[in-house]
Amino acid sequence: MKDTAVKPRRLQSYLDGAWRAGTGEGRPVYNAATGQIHALIGTEGLDFKAALEWGRRVGGPALRKHTIHERALMLKAIGLKLMEMKEEFYLENFATGATRKDGWIDIDGGIGTMLTFSSKARLELPNAKLITEGAVERLSRDGSFVAQHVLSPMEGVAVHINAFNFPIWGMLEKIAPSLIAGMPCIVKPASQTAYLTELVVRRMLETGLLPEGALQLVTGSAGDLLDHVSEQDVVTFTGSAGTGRMLKATPAIVQNSVRFTMEADSLNAAVLGADAGPGTPEFDLFVKEVAREMTVKAGQKCTAIRRAIVPSRFEEAVIEALSARLAKTSIGLPDGEGVQMGALVSRKDRDGVREKIREIAADCEIVSGDPENVTLVCGDAGQGAFMAPVLMRARDPMSADAAHGIEAFGPVATVMGYHDAEEAVALARKGRGSLVSSLFTNDRDIAREIVMGLAPYHGRVLIGNRGSAKTSTGHGSPLAPLVHGGPGRAGGGEEMGGIRGVKHFMQRTAVQGTPEMLSAVTGQWVEGAPAQSDGHPFRKSLAELRIGDQVITKSREVTQEDVEHFARFTGDTFYAHMDSDAAKANPFFEDRVAHGYLIASFAAGLFVDPAPGPVLANYGVDNLRFLTPVYFGDSLQVRLTCKAINPRANGDYGEVRWDCRVSNQKDEVVAQYDVLTMVAKTWPQVA
Ligand code: NAP
């Protein structure tokens, strides 16, 4: 294997506006597969307090000058550039012991996660600096005192401490939501694989797309960094539970109530359903998935399957099938021809895994694989951190505490037999909280019972069966739109989960006051806030349109003929519109009523200004409610008010949300909803 570092590279940290090496030569970091020195690392003498201050003073304000969409677009541009350079990262990735396939999760997976965050933020969040959350709460009878939850970016630094196994994904999945939220970051990768993170950060900074101070990097020990965190900072930790607990108790974190998110190790399980015996597609999927999770990244994945919980009567068959599959794994240099499993990250870590196997063996036996010996297709077993996959079996699963509690962070799993669904759930829960478990079944009752039992103890549960065999993303893949994290042993943290992940870096505040004041703060019109009517708002482009621009329409009577015409025309001849006796027998109506969609259609007919103009399209309605029945002879009137304006950062139009209130002749609200339109930024549009 060709080592990418001809001469070991002295890694640097990017702090306080410059690349800095610590004092001294740095300590060696070894290539996982060849055992040669790959890089030198160290942070002695670096000033972490100054770095935090620089992030807060320079990075934060520079990021918060931009809107959420602008920040998201910044990340998209960086992500696309990283994609172009990814071959360089794949080459460096081999030094971690990971094969190209393993590297895909870290490199393509990491960049893809950042791009997903960028696109979700632009789709689901406003192009604003402040986010409103939930409905306006009415706190007084007359509506003069209301409240709204708002989210604003925390004004400190997000310190991200990461594990060695995903040096790129681990960084990108955390900085994407933080930067979108408006928080600058300091990334501290694990020393063992920091060379790969350092390379990516160099390339990111070289794009010149990030504002000064938005991203800093610590390669090597974090020194006294956490002693200087304060109330506006956020710390996220990914790594072993022991380190996490220690860092969570850092005095500055405790005293300043610093938000601390922990993603720790977990003893994830895969459960085979009682219906999924040998010969079923689910049995085969289960075996394939357990073997895959044991060998991808040599089992060094926080989500890897550590416990295979199977019906006792299928235990022998599972062990036989799994052992046969594992025995076929070709192990060797990560860039070697046909190699399926590379090396563990270091010989020290491999020795640690062997030690853990000895501990687990207290109540388990090894049924396949030799922890001490490995046959390689290429490479030197004496130099690289290679190891064969090891399958164990618990003698008495309910009392096999070591197998439920000790995470051997390598290609190791334990098979555990169960007698009924209740016992399967009890075994999975003995992990005391996990990131993910999967269940392989094609039986809906089994799925319901077991998932209900697993859910409180897990951040994610995957159901595998023949229906999704080809499309499933698999047990081990955390996905940007889904929550990653788990209770208890897994750290109690929560990351990603789409926009939920962005909100971890924002402060939620309940703002109370009059509608007028609330509207001024949030930039959104609130019922009861001042409104103005100076011409039809559909004649205004975004350059002229203002929150509170309003049109109150003339009235229109709804007749029996209208309702019957609509019924015939659309085919909606539901009895409440057509049959007086049947309508009267209904608890909600006194007689035949107009269709709700007829009301919405008449409303559009009343408020629309028909001539070509800046309103480009209607793209839907939100929160449509029909509140009062409309009878023949009732008159409808619409009040349409511009509620929120969301200009696209990279387009010549924006979304406008209109509050639409349809009332009857007694001023009762018959329908209430938000109308969603696209409106040009200027009109007439300049080509
Ligand atoms: P680790 O030894 O706990 O280290 C994690 C991180 O903490 C590293 O960056 C490490 O830096 C840093 N660290 C250690 N002591 C510190 C201190 N005093 N102050 C500040 N930072 C400190 O874990 P690892 O060996 O890298 O990773 C393997 C573990 O991570 C496994 O247990 C695995 O299950 C878990 N993991 C969990 C997830 C998840 O999402 N839940 C994901 C991946 C991995 P140095 O390397 O410089 O010491």
Side-chain angles (χ1 to χ4, degrees):
M1 177 174 157
K2 191 169 155 289
D3 199 327
T4 44
V6 181
K7 182 168 166 279
R9 185 154 62 92
R10 175 65 163 101
L11 302 183
Q12 293 182 310
S13 297
Y14 186 77
L15 298 172
D16 202 1
W19 283 101
R20 304 167 194 277
T23 54
E25 284 182 2
R27 69 179 173 79
V29 176
Y30 297 94
N31 180 309
T34 64
Q36 288 169 4
I37 299 177
H38 186 74
L40 297 163
I41 194 167
T43 54
E44 288 74 14
L46 297 183
D47 188 344
F48 295 119
K49 187 167 183 252
L52 278 165
E53 280 166 5
W54 192 63
R56 293 181 198 123
R57 186 169 42 81
V58 178
L63 277 169
R64 292 190 296 274
K65 251 199 267 166
H66 296 278
T67 63
I68 290 170
H69 285 208
E70 287 163 356
R71 294 194 288 262
L73 282 171
M74 212 181 274
L75 290 190
K76 180 179 177 184
I78 295 170
L80 293 177
K81 287 222 180 289
L82 292 181
M83 274 293 181
E84 286 169 16
M85 314 168 182
K86 67 181 181 183
E87 284 311 316
E88 188 184 10
F89 310 146
Y90 272 104
L91 209 58
E92 188 76 345
N93 163 64
F94 288 135
T96 70
T99 62
R100 186 174 174 98
K101 212 167 162 189
D102 294 339
W104 187 90
I105 314 169
D106 196 33
I107 300 167
D108 277 273
I111 302 170
T113 296
M114 183 155 97
L115 292 173
T116 304
F117 266 110
S118 167
S119 104
K120 282 188 90 63
R122 284 173 291 128
L123 271 174
E124 296 173 34
L125 293 176
N127 186 14
K129 295 180 178 174
L130 188 84
I131 303 176
T132 57
E133 191 185 53
V136 172
E137 298 289 338
R138 203 178 158 102
L139 302 176
S140 69
R141 230 169 243 253
D142 66 356
S144 64
F145 189 56
V146 293
Q148 168 83 69
H149 286 96
V150 300
L151 293 154
S152 52
M154 303 281 288
E155 296 201 350
V157 173
V159 178
H160 297 307
I161 301 173
N162 290 337
F164 71 77
N165 53 347
F166 290 106
I168 300 179
W169 176 84
M171 166 173 65
L172 298 182
E173 62 105 357
K174 288 182 176 183
I175 67 169
S178 333
L179 292 172
I180 289 171
M183 275 196 98
C185 305
I186 296 182
V187 175
K188 148 78 187 104
S191 296
Q192 185 57 48
T193 54
Y195 45 85
L196 191 45
T197 318
E198 194 230 41
L199 177 64
V200 177
V201 170
R202 277 187 190 278
R203 297 296 173 259
M204 288 177 76
L205 294 176
E206 280 162 13
T207 65
L209 291 164
L210 279 173
E212 269 290 271
L215 179 60
Q216 301 185 74
L217 173 76
V218 176
T219 55
S221 156
D224 64 355
L225 175 67
L226 295 185
D227 295 336
H228 303 293
V229 292
S230 62
E231 63 283 353
Q232 285 290 309
D233 299 324
V234 175
V235 177
T236 74
F237 169 82
T238 302
S240 57
T243 312
R245 277 194 294 268
M246 187 230 340
L247 297 184
K248 196 175 179 177
T250 306
I253 291 182
V254 176
Q255 279 155 22
N256 300 323
S257 305
V258 174
R259 222 176 264 186
F260 186 92
T261 302
M262 177 162 152
E263 293 297 341
D265 51 39
S266 81
L267 278 293
N268 314 295
V271 181
L272 182 66
D275 60 309
T280 63
E282 286 69 33
F283 182 90
D284 295 342
L285 288 169
F286 176 86
V287 169
K288 199 168 152 195
E289 194 70 345
V290 175
R292 185 165 69 157
E293 286 297 317
M294 286 176 71
T295 52
V296 168
K297 283 212 84 124
Q300 301 166 113
K301 239 165 35 135
C302 55
T303 51
I305 295 169
R306 306 287 176 207
R307 298 173 298 148
I309 300 175
V310 306
S312 294
R313 65 184 193 281
F314 304 147
E315 196 175 343
E316 283 309 323
V318 167
I319 289 173
E320 197 183 313
L322 257 177
S323 304
R325 208 175 169 102
L326 292 170
K328 283 195 214 139
T329 311
S330 60
I331 306 166
L333 293 173
D335 60 348
E337 184 78 22
V339 167
Q340 292 165 312
M341 187 168 109
L344 275 79
V345 75
S346 70
R347 292 205 298 258
K348 185 164 159 269
D349 282 70
R350 183 201 50 197
D351 294 345
V353 174
R354 287 175 172 164
E355 179 56 37
K356 298 272 173 67
I357 291 174
R358 284 192 281 277
E359 290 172 31
I360 296 171
D363 33 40
C364 299
E365 64 207 6
I366 294 175
V367 289
S368 95
D370 179 349
E372 305 297 330
N373 295 297
V374 59
T375 307
L376 301 182
V377 293
C378 53
D380 181 345
Q383 295 299 317
F386 299 102
M387 185 178 169
V390 174
L391 189 66
M392 307 179 84
R393 176 223 305 260
R395 288 185 205 99
D396 174 13
M398 283 306 273
S399 63
D401 292 343
H404 292 296
I406 295 173
E407 183 203 42
F409 203 55
V412 184
T414 305
V415 177
M416 304 177 170
Y418 74 83
H419 297 97
D420 54 29
E422 207 177 314
E423 196 182 358
V425 167
L427 286 171
R429 290 160 71 134
K430 276 183 165 287
R432 313 276 311 263
S434 301
L435 293 169
V436 52
S437 277
S438 50
L439 165 67
F440 290 80
T441 182
N442 201 36
D443 182 306
R444 284 183 277 185
D445 293 334
I446 291 178
R448 189 181 327 107
E449 182 174 358
I450 294 191
V451 172
M452 288 286 284
L454 295 179
Y457 279 70
H458 292 81
R460 183 163 61 85
V461 176
L462 176 137
I463 305 169
N465 73 352
R466 61 197 78 179
S468 62
K470 289 211 176 83
T471 50
S472 170
T473 49
H475 167 106
S477 307
L479 300 172
L482 307 185
V483 162
H484 175 59
R489 170 77 190 245
E494 200 182 279
E495 285 174 2
M496 301 207 292
I499 295 309
R500 291 177 195 86
V502 174
K503 294 181 180 176
H504 294 316
F505 302 97
M506 306 185 90
Q507 177 60 41
R508 177 176 293 109
T509 310
V511 181
Q512 297 169 274
T514 62
E516 180 178 10
M517 289 302 154
L518 225 65
S519 191
V521 170
T522 62
Q524 295 186 13
W525 185 80
V526 173
E527 180 73 53
Q532 56 282 342
S533 301
D534 51 351
H536 197 292
F538 274 29
R539 306 305 323 154
K540 295 183 181 181
S541 69
L542 295 192
E544 304 141 308
L545 191 67
R546 297 288 167 265
I547 297 300
D549 279 354
Q550 190 174 75
V551 59
I552 297 176
T553 69
K554 56 186 173 45
S555 298
R556 169 173 186 157
E557 191 186 332
V558 181
T559 64
Q560 179 171 343
E561 200 193 339
D562 289 333
V563 171
E564 286 173 0
H565 173 72
F566 190 78
R568 275 194 310 277
F569 182 50
T570 61
D572 178 355
T573 53
F574 187 63
Y575 71 86
H577 315 304
M578 309 305 288
D579 178 339
S580 181
D581 291 340
K584 282 178 184 158
N586 178 307
F588 298 108
F589 306 129
E590 287 161 19
D591 208 332
R592 293 168 66 184
V593 290
H595 303 71
Y597 300 119
L598 174 62
I599 297 169
S601 304
F602 276 173
L606 287 166
F607 69 66
V608 154
D609 182 281
V615 177
L616 307 173
N618 163 12
Y619 72 98
V621 295
D622 268 356
N623 308 321
L624 172 59
R625 289 287 178 281
F626 301 116
L627 301 166
T628 310
V630 172
Y631 298 103
F632 305 154
D634 282 355
S635 271
L636 303 181
Q637 186 179 34
V638 183
R639 187 198 68 190
L640 189 80
T641 315
C642 176
K643 187 172 178 178
I645 303 176
N646 198 19
R648 290 253 168 148
N650 60 341
D652 49 10
Y653 63 93
E655 285 93 21
V656 176
R657 181 177 284 268
W658 307 85
D659 176 88
C660 182
R661 177 183 183 272
V662 187
S663 52
N664 62 18
Q665 65 283 2
K666 290 184 253 173
D667 203 31
E668 293 164 332
V669 182
V670 303
Q672 175 81 54
Y673 48 103
D674 286 356
V675 173
L676 310 171
T677 60
M678 309 281 197
V679 178
K681 282 188 175 169
T682 54
W683 188 267
Q685 274 178 311
V686 197

